[in-house]
């Protein structure tokens, strides 16, 4: 085979053959790759779209042995009502992901040299555990293969990135006919009998009381909403805003109040465009009883006990059934007087700014119309009736001539530019108005989402306050559910800026409709704010499949809480550094100034024509994690992953110095939390960090009802236990007088 043909055959592989002597491009290696030897292409962060380097075989093994974010799979029993992990408890690793996963304590290195042999005993044990729960066959279990089955020895899988070895592996590993087949025993032949029994049961009516809730008739109450405002006398003045829609009979007071406010937000914003309405001071009342719906028992559905009648008929047992009211139930959103006056002033000032010059005659304080103030009797004068003037034909004729010439001059240009068109060009231009082009444009518009959201900021709470005895009841919260800000969230489904192992990130804009927050994400901003919109997705499904709202909201709240605690722990470490520097000589090296991105939890509301058959106690449709957008002028780097305690970069690679400093931050947090917590999975760009993971001692997750769910799925127990053996003290640790962790022979921590 000639060299040119060999180059053509291997130009898309990683083991391409060197044609000339060339040095290994890893800075710390001086090996010369001779002609005819294999050379390997290394893509940084596992991304082939980034510029890489050609390295020798030894350096290729070095890069392939690097790990990435390690996940753990949550046991099925740990989350009530959530789906079982499709991996059956097998841990999996996600390279350079911006998300966290899993609950297994088995670590899988992303070596890339050889695969892990399949352990049949582990699979058999998991099948037996699943069958003992009775989830598959309620009337009996299928017997698994006995433990005495013989099997062929486990084979090491080849490296996929080396085609020559990959081909040799399958040539030399043909299946042997002497190997026994694996599967179930003779008890599996009972399948047909079981299938027929269950098929016959499927056509029987269920006993009374066992009809699923989603199959029952839907109970809805029609409501009528209106907006009113308070007068100085204490009376209420109605506006022209009126909206009607149905709500579920089982809706709770808080959800009903939020639903009413979200439905009246668009017409209020249209009534006085641009005014920042503050819904925290508004009150929702039922007009017939004038009851503030937020002052009733929040744990009981608002309409409970109402609209019931005794069941009639021959089979009546005296029970009550729901009967929808004939007339809609009216509710009023009451705007406080101060805010309404500010809104009117805002509208008047806006009108005066854009008033045409010709209409602004001589406006004085005496002639400017005042709000709801009748004119004084002294200023009322009788005037003579106006006489109609005769039209001036000459002036009308001249004005018509002037307007005609003016309209003609609009289409005049300095140089004539009329050019005859080609017939094919005319035909193609006309076809752009056809249904095909319109449907294509419709799909583009359908990808653009704009929806009202309720935002709850992720607060910066000092670590000492979170752990103080006064905060046992949780008065100081990372996410305060009593402080809500309303806004409009806009994003394009096609503008995907990142996809991790468990979350996607879209470019979005957030515009406050209420008063903007004084601090945090979008503080004191009246303009649209660019944000990163993150949502979890089911990694067990192909493509991007979203979770249901119950699972999605739980995962988003976990991510938001985790971001707030990580920010608190980072500030805690910087407080130690600043206090130490104040009492010692100047630091002989620079201290990087890093921080986590600001964020918020956002809830999207359901649409007005929601026809979900299952009743819901909330008006929320989806949950988002909104984060401060990281600038693109710095490369995004993952410094430390959650399964290791050393920098991910080599000393000659960008980001290594930051990684060393973050290892020192971990040392501070581990020591001053008394070996109970530290931050890992550091990643970001410039001075901003995002997607952290809080690691905690395994014993903490077993307390109370946590059941291994403390700080999300990336809190891997074995990674925490290996911290003291993996951490290597650096110049920061030594100068700040942090003691090295004692170890014994074999790498285990000394007791």
């Amino acid at each position: 085979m000639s060299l040119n043909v060999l180059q053509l055959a291997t130009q898309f592989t990683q083991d391409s053959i060197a044609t000339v002597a060339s040095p290994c491009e890893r800075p710390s290696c001086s090996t010369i790759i001779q002609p005819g030897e294999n050379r390997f292409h290394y893509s940084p962060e596992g991304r082939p779209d980034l510029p890489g380097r050609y390295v020798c075989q030894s350096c290729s093994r070095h890069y392939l042995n690097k790990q990435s974010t390690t996940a753990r799979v949550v046991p099925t029993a740990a989350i009530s009502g959530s789906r079982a992990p499709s991996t059956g408890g097998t841990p999996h690793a996600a390279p350079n992901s911006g998300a966290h996963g899993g609950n297994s304590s088995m670590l899988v290195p992303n070596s890339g040299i050889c695969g892990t042999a399949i352990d049949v005993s582990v699979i058999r044990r998991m099948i037996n555990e699943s069958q003992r729960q009775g989830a598959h066959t309620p009337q009996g279990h299928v017997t698994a293969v006995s433990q005495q089955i013989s099997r062929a020895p486990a084979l090491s899988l080849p490296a996929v990135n080396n085609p020559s070895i990959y081909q040799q592996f399958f040539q030399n590993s043909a299946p042997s006919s002497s190997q026994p087949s694996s599967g179930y025993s003779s008890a599996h032949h009972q399948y047909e009998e079981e299938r027929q029994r269950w098929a016959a049961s499927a056509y029987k009516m269920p006993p009374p009381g066992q009809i699923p809730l989603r199959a029952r008739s839907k109970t809805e109450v029609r409501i009528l909403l209106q907006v009113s405002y308070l007068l100085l006398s204490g009376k209420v003045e109605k506006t022209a805003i009126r909206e009607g829609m149905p709500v579920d009979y089982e809706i709770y007071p808080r959800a009903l109040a939020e639903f009413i406010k979200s439905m009246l937000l668009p017409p209020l914003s249209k009534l006085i465009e641009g005014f920042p309405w503050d819904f925290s001071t508004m009150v929702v009342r039922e007009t017939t009883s004038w009851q503030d719906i937020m002052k009733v028992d929040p744990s009981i559905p608002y309409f409970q006990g109402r609209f019931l009648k005794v069941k009639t008929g021959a089979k009546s047992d005296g029970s009550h059934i729901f009967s929808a009211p004939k007339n809609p139930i009216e509710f009023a959103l009451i705007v406080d007087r101060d805010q309404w006056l500010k809104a009117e002033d805002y509208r008047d000032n806006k009108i005066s700014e854009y008033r045409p010059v010709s209409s602004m005659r001589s406006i004085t304080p005496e002639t400017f119309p005042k709000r709801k103030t009748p004119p004084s009797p002294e200023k009322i004068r009788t005037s003579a009736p106006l006489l109609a003037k005769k039209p001036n034909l000459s002036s009308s004729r001249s004005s018509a001539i002037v307007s005609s010439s003016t309209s003609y001059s609009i289409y005049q240009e300095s140089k004539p530019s009329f050019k005859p068109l080609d017939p094919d060009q005319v035909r193609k231009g006309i076809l752009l108005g056809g249904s095909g082009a319109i449907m294509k444009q419709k799909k583009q518009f359908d990808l653009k989402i704009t929806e009202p959201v309720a935002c709850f900021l992720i607060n910066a709470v000092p670590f000492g306050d979170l752990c103080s005895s006064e905060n046992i009841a949780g008065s100081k919260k990372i996410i305060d559910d009593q402080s809500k800000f309303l806004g409009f969230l806009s994003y394009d489904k096609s503008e995907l800026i990142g996809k991790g192992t468990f979350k996607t990130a879209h470019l979005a804009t957030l515009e406050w409709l209420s008063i903007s927050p004084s601090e945090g994400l979008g503080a004191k901003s009246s303009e649209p704010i660019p944000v990163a919109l993150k949502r979890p997705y089911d990694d067990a499904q192909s493509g991007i499949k979203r979770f249901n709202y119950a699972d999605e909201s739980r995962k988003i709240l976990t991510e938001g809480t985790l971001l707030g605690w990580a920010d608190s722990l980072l500030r805690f470490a910087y407080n130690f550094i600043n206090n130490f520097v104040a009492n010692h000589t100047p630091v002989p090296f620079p201290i990087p100034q890093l921080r986590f991105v600001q964020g918020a939890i956002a809830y999207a509301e359901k649409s007005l024509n929601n026809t979900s058959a299952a009743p819901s106690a909330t008006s929320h449709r989806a949950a988002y994690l909104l984060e401060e957008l990281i600038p693109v002028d710095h490369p995004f780097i993952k410094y430390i992953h959650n399964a290791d305690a050393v920098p991910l970069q080599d000393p000659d690679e960008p980001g290594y110095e930051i990684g060393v400093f973050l290892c020192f931050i971990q040392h501070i947090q581990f020591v001053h939390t008394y070996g109970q917590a530290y931050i890992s999975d550091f990643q970001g760009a410039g001075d901003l960090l995002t997607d952290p993971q809080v690691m905690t001692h395994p014993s903490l997750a077993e307390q109370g009802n946590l059941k291994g769910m403390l700080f999300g799925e990336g809190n891997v127990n074995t990674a925490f236990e290996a911290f003291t053996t993996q951490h290597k003290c650096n110049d920061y640790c030594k100068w700040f007088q942090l003691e090295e962790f004692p170890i014994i022979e074999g790498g285990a921590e000394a007791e």
Side-chain angles (χ1 to χ4, degrees):
M1 180 182 292
S2 65
L3 187 60
N4 291 335
V5 176
L6 187 61
Q7 285 178 334
L8 179 63
T10 61
Q11 64 176 330
F12 297 111
T13 64
Q14 291 185 345
D15 60 338
S16 57
I17 298 176
T19 57
V20 296
S22 59
C24 175
E25 296 181 359
R26 182 186 175 194
S28 59
C29 181
S30 58
T31 303
I32 301 298
I33 306 175
Q34 300 298 332
E37 293 182 350
N38 291 342
R39 64 172 186 172
F40 300 81
H41 187 267
Y42 162 67
S43 299
E45 304 180 14
R47 294 179 53 185
D49 57 318
L50 297 178
R53 59 184 65 165
Y54 285 97
V55 297
C56 63
Q57 186 173 6
S58 175
C59 293
S60 174
R61 292 197 185 98
H62 165 77
Y63 285 121
L64 292 175
N65 280 326
K66 288 190 175 183
Q67 294 180 339
S68 60
T69 299
T70 301
R72 59 177 184 159
V73 180
V74 180
T76 307
I79 308 175
S80 176
S82 63
R83 64 173 180 83
S86 62
T87 57
T90 304
H92 54 281
N96 300 323
S97 65
H100 319 289
N103 191 21
S104 171
S105 58
M106 296 184 292
L107 304 183
V108 181
N110 185 15
S111 61
I113 300 301
C114 65
T116 305
I118 299 176
D119 191 346
V120 180
S121 63
V122 175
I123 298 177
R124 182 185 299 108
R125 184 173 64 254
M126 289 186 293
I127 292 175
N128 291 336
E129 290 177 357
S130 175
Q131 291 174 347
R132 279 195 291 271
Q133 297 176 1
H136 302 87
T137 56
Q139 303 300 325
H141 306 313
V142 178
T143 306
V145 180
S146 62
Q147 296 286 346
Q148 286 74 22
I149 184 172
S150 59
R151 61 180 183 272
L155 299 176
S156 298
L157 299 179
V160 181
N161 57 2
N162 196 327
S164 58
I165 298 178
Y166 192 83
Q167 295 171 1
Q168 295 174 8
F169 173 85
F170 286 102
Q171 291 173 358
N172 300 330
S173 59
S176 175
S177 60
S178 62
Q179 295 182 3
S181 60
S182 61
Y184 292 102
S185 66
S186 58
H188 190 59
H189 293 294
Q190 300 175 358
Y191 164 76
E192 181 63 23
E193 179 183 350
E194 289 292 308
R195 188 194 67 79
Q196 293 179 1
R197 185 174 65 84
W198 283 103
S201 300
Y203 294 97
K204 295 180 181 179
M205 289 297 295
Q210 294 188 7
I211 300 178
L213 190 61
R214 62 178 177 274
R216 301 177 188 174
S217 58
K218 190 173 181 181
T219 53
E220 290 183 337
V221 178
R222 292 183 298 123
I223 61 175
L224 181 64
L225 311 180
Q226 60 183 15
V227 178
S228 305
Y229 59 93
L230 288 174
L231 299 177
L232 185 61
S233 60
K235 296 182 179 181
V236 174
E237 183 75 16
K238 296 181 180 180
T239 65
I241 298 177
R242 293 173 67 86
E243 297 287 342
M245 70 281 297
V247 295
D248 189 79
Y249 177 71
E250 299 291 338
I251 192 169
Y252 286 85
R254 179 178 292 276
L256 178 61
E258 292 181 358
F259 177 76
I260 292 175
K261 291 179 180 180
S262 63
M263 292 303 103
L264 292 177
L265 175 60
L268 260 179
S269 303
K270 186 177 180 180
L271 180 65
I272 303 180
E273 295 183 359
F275 181 75
W277 293 101
D278 182 11
F279 281 82
S280 62
T281 61
M282 301 183 190
V283 180
V284 179
R285 296 181 181 272
E286 187 175 349
T287 55
T288 54
S289 61
W290 208 241
Q291 169 68 52
D292 184 351
I293 67 175
M294 292 301 294
K295 292 184 178 181
V296 298
D297 190 346
S299 62
I300 300 176
Y302 183 78
F303 298 111
Q304 181 171 336
R306 301 168 62 178
F307 318 127
L308 301 177
K309 68 176 183 180
V310 179
K311 184 178 180 181
T312 59
K315 298 182 180 180
S316 174
D317 54 358
S319 60
H320 290 76
I321 60 174
F322 171 77
S323 177
K326 296 181 179 179
N327 298 322
I329 309 303
E330 297 187 6
F331 292 90
L333 178 65
I334 311 300
V335 184
D336 55 293
R337 176 172 172 77
D338 292 338
Q339 186 171 189
W340 187 262
L341 293 178
K342 291 179 181 178
E344 286 189 336
D345 291 339
Y346 178 87
R347 179 190 58 189
D348 295 342
N349 294 334
K350 191 173 182 179
I351 292 175
S352 62
E353 291 176 0
Y354 295 97
R355 191 187 302 275
V357 177
S358 59
S359 63
M360 298 182 63
R361 294 186 289 272
S362 58
I363 299 180
T364 61
E366 291 77 9
T367 59
F368 192 86
K370 297 182 179 180
R371 182 189 307 110
K372 296 186 183 297
T373 303
S376 59
E378 292 80 4
K379 296 183 179 180
I380 299 178
R381 297 288 186 269
T382 58
S383 57
L386 297 178
L387 299 177
K389 296 182 178 180
K390 294 182 179 180
N392 191 337
L393 299 179
S394 59
S395 62
S396 301
R397 188 182 301 109
S398 60
S399 62
I401 295 174
V402 172
S403 62
S404 175
S405 61
T406 304
S407 61
Y408 173 77
S409 63
I410 293 177
Y411 299 96
Q412 285 184 343
E413 298 182 3
S414 57
K415 294 182 179 180
S417 59
F418 176 78
K419 295 180 180 179
L421 299 177
D422 184 83
D424 291 338
Q425 293 178 338
V426 175
R427 182 178 58 83
K428 292 178 180 179
I430 294 175
L431 291 177
L432 291 178
S435 59
I438 292 176
M439 291 303 298
K440 182 179 180 180
Q441 191 175 26
K442 177 185 178 300
K443 292 181 180 179
Q444 296 176 351
F445 278 113
D446 291 343
L447 293 175
K448 302 181 185 298
I449 307 298
T450 300
E451 55 187 347
V453 292
C455 297
F456 300 87
L457 299 183
I458 300 175
N459 301 315
V461 182
F463 188 68
D465 293 349
L466 290 174
C467 301
S468 65
S469 58
E470 300 176 356
N471 195 40
I472 298 300
S475 57
K476 296 181 179 179
K477 301 178 181 179
I478 294 292
I479 303 175
D480 187 2
D481 56 356
Q482 300 299 322
S483 180
K484 179 175 64 174
F485 299 91
L486 300 179
F488 267 126
L489 188 65
S490 303
Y491 65 97
D492 192 326
K493 290 183 179 180
S494 62
E495 292 184 358
L496 188 67
I497 59 178
K499 178 184 177 183
T501 307
F502 304 113
K503 292 199 301 291
T504 59
H506 286 80
L507 180 63
T509 57
L510 176 64
E511 183 177 3
W512 298 120
L513 296 176
S514 59
I515 298 177
S516 61
S518 57
E519 57 183 1
L521 181 68
K524 301 177 181 178
S525 175
S526 58
E527 300 295 330
I529 314 153
V531 295
L533 184 152
K534 296 185 177 181
R535 291 187 72 182
Y537 70 94
D538 190 351
D539 61 306
Q541 304 289 336
S542 59
I544 298 179
K545 180 177 177 58
R546 300 298 180 189
F547 292 96
N548 57 45
Y549 171 75
D551 290 339
E552 183 179 59
S553 60
R554 174 179 55 81
K555 292 176 179 291
I556 287 295
L557 276 174
T558 301
E559 291 289 336
T561 303
L562 199 154
L563 178 60
W565 275 87
D567 179 73
S568 179
L569 276 169
L570 182 61
R571 294 172 185 266
F572 180 65
Y574 271 111
N575 289 340
F576 167 82
I577 294 174
N578 297 334
N579 182 70
F580 190 93
V581 171
N583 299 316
H584 294 76
T585 57
V587 187
F589 33 70
I591 301 294
Q593 299 299 314
L594 306 174
R595 68 175 178 87
F596 282 104
V597 294
Q598 298 172 338
I601 302 297
Y603 291 99
E605 302 300 325
K606 296 178 181 176
S607 60
L608 292 177
N609 58 348
N610 178 46
T611 58
S612 175
S616 174
T618 178
S619 63
H620 300 153
R621 179 188 62 81
Y624 308 130
L625 174 62
L626 306 182
E627 289 185 358
E628 177 183 1
L629 199 62
I630 296 180
V632 296
D633 53 351
H634 292 87
F636 190 91
I637 300 175
K638 188 164 189 174
Y639 304 103
I640 305 174
H641 60 75
N642 66 327
D644 210 346
V646 296
L648 196 58
Q649 286 72 35
D650 291 329
D652 56 351
E653 294 179 336
Y656 175 77
E657 295 297 333
I658 299 295
V660 171
F661 174 76
L662 292 175
C663 289
F664 159 64
I665 291 291
Q666 289 181 328
H667 196 164
I668 296 175
Q669 294 166 347
F670 188 90
V671 170
H672 289 278
T673 61
Y674 304 96
Q676 298 186 80
Y678 66 90
I679 308 175
S680 188
D681 221 24
F682 284 106
Q683 53 195 309
D687 60 346
L688 294 179
L689 301 173
T690 184
D691 286 330
Q693 176 60 57
V694 176
M695 313 293 291
T696 59
H697 195 279
S699 62
L700 296 176
E702 303 303 326
Q703 300 181 12
N705 58 353
L706 295 175
K707 297 181 181 179
M709 292 303 298
L710 184 61
F711 289 119
E713 302 165 347
N715 188 7
V716 184
N717 293 343
T718 53
F720 186 94
E721 294 169 347
F723 175 77
T724 55
T725 59
Q726 292 177 345
H727 175 80
K728 297 179 181 179
C729 286
N730 50 51
D731 293 340
Y732 291 101
C733 302
K734 297 174 182 177
W735 195 88
F736 282 89
Q737 302 177 10
L738 296 177
E739 296 184 1
E740 296 186 8
F741 298 112
I743 58 175
I744 61 177
E745 187 177 355
E749 182 181 359
E751 297 293 340

